[in-house]
Amino acid sequence: MTTLPPPAEPADPASTFDAGWQPVPPEPPRDKRYRIMMVSGLLALGLGIGAAALPVPYVIESPGPVFNTLGTSGDHPVISVRGHESYPAKGRLDLTTVYISGGPKGPVTIFDAFRAWVDSTQAVYPEELVFPKGVTEEQSAQESTVAMATSQENAVAAALRELKIPFGQKLQIAGLSDSSASAGKLQEGDVFTSINGKPASTLSTIQAELAAGAGAPAVVVVDRNGTPITETITPGKGTSGRYVLGVLLGYDFTFPFDVSISLDNVGGPSAGMMFALGIMDTVTPGDLTGGKHIAGTGTISPEGEVGPIGGIAQKMHSAREGGATMFLAPAENCDDVVGHVPEGLQVVKVATLSEATAAVERLAAGQDTARLPACSNN
């Protein structure tokens, strides 16, 4: 009888497989979950792209061009004078501008706003902080044009006052505000003569007298078509906390010669100070700048007070890119200046046209400008 050998043990797989061979994993099952994930991803991507294209209620301010008030715009001088000698100047007194995107001019997208947020030369603001709610593009453009025209007249007055050239000035009522304290007493077209016995041809005089009275009735005399009218008016409090008569005021000037300012596609009041400096340099012999390159911004009152403006960080970048080495900034804008000054630009804070003139003359004379007033965190 033959005995059969026992069955062989299963071979060790590790000893039988080729060393270069690897097992192929089984293909995962395809089911609805993968298709759903794919469709969801594409849908999210589409929604993200769509959301980026939607308008958002923001306004973007970007550096705009600069214009030399001593130079030309197109084929004509920015400042021209008739009836008085004018003198060519070699330096530059640049007014600065900003581009504004959004608001009445058309909405911006969230993508536009994000790009501006990460760009240090741009600024993003909620629309309601820049434009009144409901204002149209046409209304905004009209207001900007009126503000520019007013700033030009104020600039002529401030320049002539700084140069001690006499001119006529009247303060006229342009209208009454809602719930005006002067309703039924003062009228549109009235010209202020005095307040509490003091001559009143400037807004600052009226404001100072009302502030001193702290709400007490004020005796106001106006000229109405050649007839003096006397009224006693108890002022109210305006939104700023100041005592007001509730009238809208405008200046009526009589200048000894004509000054024309021609600048296309630029609006608003912020070029007033630079216009005034340009006028002064134009109507006086020599170079106010000494051939230097200076830029700046700021509103101007007929009394020569320099007021704050918007977009100053962007305007400083415009100035430096344009080649300016000194920038004249309103003192009230110092909080917006600190931390945003481009390298190579000296910023001098000014509150009056006299201070701005002194800074320009110091630079022109080659004197040390390091001690000129500057904005700081203090």
Side-chain angles (χ1 to χ4, degrees):
M1 181 176 175
T2 304
T3 305
L4 298 175
E9 292 291 334
D12 182 0
S15 64
T16 60
F17 288 162
D18 184 89
W21 183 88
Q22 294 293 330
V24 178
E27 185 174 334
R30 295 180 178 274
D31 57 29
K32 292 182 179 179
R33 289 177 298 173
Y34 290 94
R35 289 194 292 271
I36 292 172
M37 290 174 62
M38 180 69 73
V39 171
S40 299
L42 291 173
L43 181 60
L45 178 62
L47 290 174
I49 294 173
L54 289 175
V56 291
Y58 291 102
V59 168
I60 299 172
E61 291 184 347
S62 309
V66 299
F67 299 91
N68 180 16
T69 60
L70 302 175
T72 59
S73 175
D75 58 355
H76 49 264
V78 174
I79 297 173
S80 56
V81 176
R82 289 187 303 170
H84 189 281
E85 187 72 28
S86 59
Y87 305 88
K90 297 178 181 178
R92 289 184 64 104
L93 288 168
D94 288 352
L95 65 88
T96 49
T97 67
V98 293
Y99 285 123
I100 297 180
S101 306
K105 296 183 179 181
V108 298
T109 67
I110 188 64
F111 187 65
D112 295 328
F114 179 76
R115 284 191 304 181
W117 269 317
V118 298
D119 186 340
S120 62
T121 68
Q122 299 187 66
V124 182
Y125 301 101
E127 184 178 333
E128 64 270 17
L129 293 182
V130 182
F131 296 102
K133 189 175 181 180
V135 68
T136 65
E137 182 177 2
E138 183 179 357
Q139 290 171 331
S140 176
Q142 184 177 15
E143 290 174 3
S144 182
T145 300
V146 171
M148 171 62 91
T150 301
S151 75
Q152 292 174 0
E153 281 204 331
N154 288 353
V156 177
L160 297 189
R161 179 170 277 110
E162 185 70 18
L163 295 173
K164 297 180 171 50
I165 299 175
F167 62 94
Q169 175 177 310
K170 295 179 182 178
L171 195 58
Q172 192 170 38
I173 297 176
L176 274 67
S177 61
D178 296 335
S179 304
S180 172
S182 300
K185 296 183 177 182
L186 302 182
Q187 301 177 8
E188 182 177 345
D190 288 350
V191 176
F192 268 90
T193 302
S194 67
I195 180 169
N196 293 337
K198 297 181 179 179
S201 61
T202 68
L203 178 59
S204 58
T205 299
I206 293 176
Q207 290 175 335
E209 195 62 26
L210 294 177
V219 178
V220 174
V221 180
V222 296
D223 182 297
R224 184 175 299 161
N225 299 321
T227 302
I229 305 293
T230 303
E231 297 284 359
T232 300
I233 303 171
T234 300
K237 264 198 173 181
T239 54
S240 63
R242 290 179 174 180
Y243 289 100
V244 296
L245 296 175
V247 294
L248 308 176
L249 299 173
Y251 286 105
D252 182 17
F253 299 110
T254 304
F255 297 126
F257 51 87
D258 293 331
V259 177
S260 298
I261 298 177
S262 182
L263 199 59
D264 296 331
N265 301 320
V266 178
S270 64
M273 178 184 66
M274 298 310 293
F275 281 145
L277 289 170
I279 293 166
M280 292 173 61
D281 203 354
T282 300
V283 301
T284 54
D287 286 319
L288 179 64
T289 66
K292 302 296 194 302
H293 192 160
I294 300 160
T297 187
T299 64
I300 197 74
S301 74
E303 294 75 43
E305 299 163 339
V306 176
I309 50 80
I312 195 163
Q314 290 68 48
K315 291 179 178 180
M316 289 189 296
H317 280 285
S318 295
R320 189 67 190 110
E321 289 174 5
T325 57
M326 176 181 282
F327 186 89
L328 305 174
E332 292 183 58
N333 277 124
C334 270
D335 288 345
D336 301 313
V337 167
V338 175
H340 297 96
V341 180
E343 186 177 352
L345 187 69
Q346 179 184 7
V347 177
V348 180
K349 71 172 182 179
V350 296
T352 65
L353 182 58
S354 295
E355 292 178 0
T357 304
V360 172
E361 290 176 337
R362 190 171 186 84
L363 180 65
Q367 298 174 351
D368 181 19
T369 61
R371 294 189 178 182
L372 288 172
C375 295
S376 67
N377 290 314
N378 297 330

